[in-house]
Amino acid sequence: MLSTEKLADLRLQLLKEKNEVENNLKQNDHFGLERGFYHESMGELSSYDNHPADEGTDLYEREKDIALKEHYELQLSNINHALEAMENGTYGKCEVCGKEIPIERLEALPNTTYCKEHSPDQFVSHERPIEEGVLMPPWGKFDMDDKNEDVAFDAEDSWQEVASWGTSETPSDLVYPQDSYNDIYIEADENIGYVEDYENFIGNDMYGKNITVYPNPQHEHYEAALDEEGIMTSFGDLPAFEHDAYVDNNNKNERNI
């Protein structure tokens, strides 16, 4: 049971805390949230001429203001509720179980009307910021490379397209330095617009016939790569009479039998 003197001290502490919160909200104009749009709190007319990074900073500040305003309003509501409990003679007892709230808890948190076990603030959120779902390394849920053979233009492709125009990195920044600035972004050697190298110089008619090789630099590079490996094709789809040259003698003998 609280003594009259202790109850008066707690009331004085609550009134002082209430005055401070109300003054803070008044001085900062409720964090500028009484206005219709956050541009008004910054003197801006629109977002049209603002850099996206500046817009991101402004949005973060707006979110912070909303959180702080909610915090102060909750604090003010708890103070008023505690003062009402004092007027009703129920202050110092838990609203849930009716047990006496320890004096140490009231001195540390005079605006509470709950014991520690029944405090509504017991819940601890384990939810992660929604941004983490987008920023999961390396490209999060927008990387489609390994998902059901999806060939959609995903986030990784978007980065590669932008990076191909230049980044702040230099060839010496890479583990394996490149000869050209055009080759220093991730998967710079990836085929764009085609899958197999030979698609750059082989064509056919609308019926899939009359296959023709069109000599070009890609064809020369492809032939040089095959010669270096000592093979005729990189995909092994050869007629039997051409395939014989690329099997060992044992396999040849087995087929002859």
Side-chain angles (χ1 to χ4, degrees):
M1 185 71 178
L2 291 173
S3 65
T4 304
E5 182 179 356
K6 175 56 68 174
L7 189 63
D9 290 340
L10 292 173
R11 181 193 297 274
L12 183 62
Q13 189 175 343
L14 284 171
L15 291 174
K16 180 180 179 181
E17 186 177 347
K18 178 180 179 180
N19 185 59
E20 290 177 353
V21 173
E22 289 177 337
N23 285 338
N24 286 337
L25 288 172
K26 182 178 180 180
Q27 289 175 4
N28 59 40
D29 193 23
H30 292 264
F31 296 92
L33 295 171
E34 302 298 320
R35 297 183 173 89
F37 196 75
Y38 79 91
H39 281 143
E40 298 178 25
S41 64
M42 302 179 298
E44 295 279 357
L45 297 178
S46 73
S47 299
Y48 184 79
D49 60 342
N50 290 353
H51 191 281
D54 293 332
E55 283 293 302
T57 300
D58 296 339
L59 178 60
Y60 163 75
E61 292 296 335
R62 186 66 163 183
E63 292 172 341
K64 186 173 68 175
D65 290 341
I66 292 174
L68 289 173
K69 184 173 183 289
E70 289 180 352
H71 170 75
Y72 279 124
E73 288 179 343
L74 177 61
Q75 185 179 3
L76 186 60
S77 175
N78 290 338
I79 292 172
N80 289 330
H81 187 62
L83 290 172
E84 290 177 4
M86 287 182 175
E87 295 294 331
N88 298 330
T90 59
Y91 183 80
K93 294 182 179 181
C94 176
E95 290 189 18
V96 177
C97 64
K99 294 181 179 180
E100 295 284 341
I101 301 174
I103 186 62
E104 294 82 7
R105 176 171 172 78
L106 291 175
E107 289 176 342
L109 194 65
N111 61 29
T112 187
T113 55
Y114 299 92
C115 66
K116 181 180 179 181
E117 288 73 17
H118 296 104
S119 171
D121 298 328
Q122 296 284 347
F123 175 74
V124 178
S125 175
H126 295 284
E127 296 182 1
R128 303 299 303 166
I130 191 172
E131 291 85 356
E132 290 187 1
V134 179
L135 301 176
M136 291 185 297
W139 309 100
K141 60 185 177 182
F142 300 111
D143 181 4
M144 309 298 181
D145 286 355
D146 300 322
K147 298 179 181 177
N148 299 323
E149 299 183 357
D150 198 326
V151 294
F153 192 87
D154 58 15
E156 182 184 19
D157 297 317
S158 298
W159 164 248
Q160 289 174 239
E161 179 65 25
V162 174
S164 66
W165 293 89
T167 67
S168 61
E169 294 180 331
T170 67
S172 62
D173 294 326
L174 305 182
V175 176
Y176 301 102
Q178 302 296 319
D179 296 329
S180 171
Y181 276 86
N182 296 328
D183 301 326
I184 64 174
Y185 60 92
I186 182 173
E187 296 185 1
D189 58 346
E190 182 180 42
N191 296 335
I192 304 298
Y194 61 96
V195 178
E196 300 292 348
D197 292 336
Y198 56 81
E199 293 180 6
N200 267 313
F201 51 82
I202 293 181
N204 52 259
D205 60 23
M206 61 185 296
Y207 303 104
K209 300 180 179 180
N210 298 321
I211 298 176
T212 305
V213 175
Y214 299 93
N216 59 19
Q218 287 83 3
H219 177 242
E220 294 177 3
H221 178 75
Y222 184 73
E223 289 287 349
L226 293 180
D227 291 342
E228 184 178 352
E229 295 292 332
I231 58 178
M232 292 182 63
T233 175
S234 61
F235 48 90
D237 188 13
L238 291 174
F241 68 89
E242 293 186 8
H243 190 272
D244 285 345
Y246 296 96
V247 296
D248 56 35
N249 292 331
N250 291 333
N251 289 338
K252 289 174 67 177
N253 294 333
E254 289 176 1
R255 280 203 309 279
N256 291 334
I257 294 174

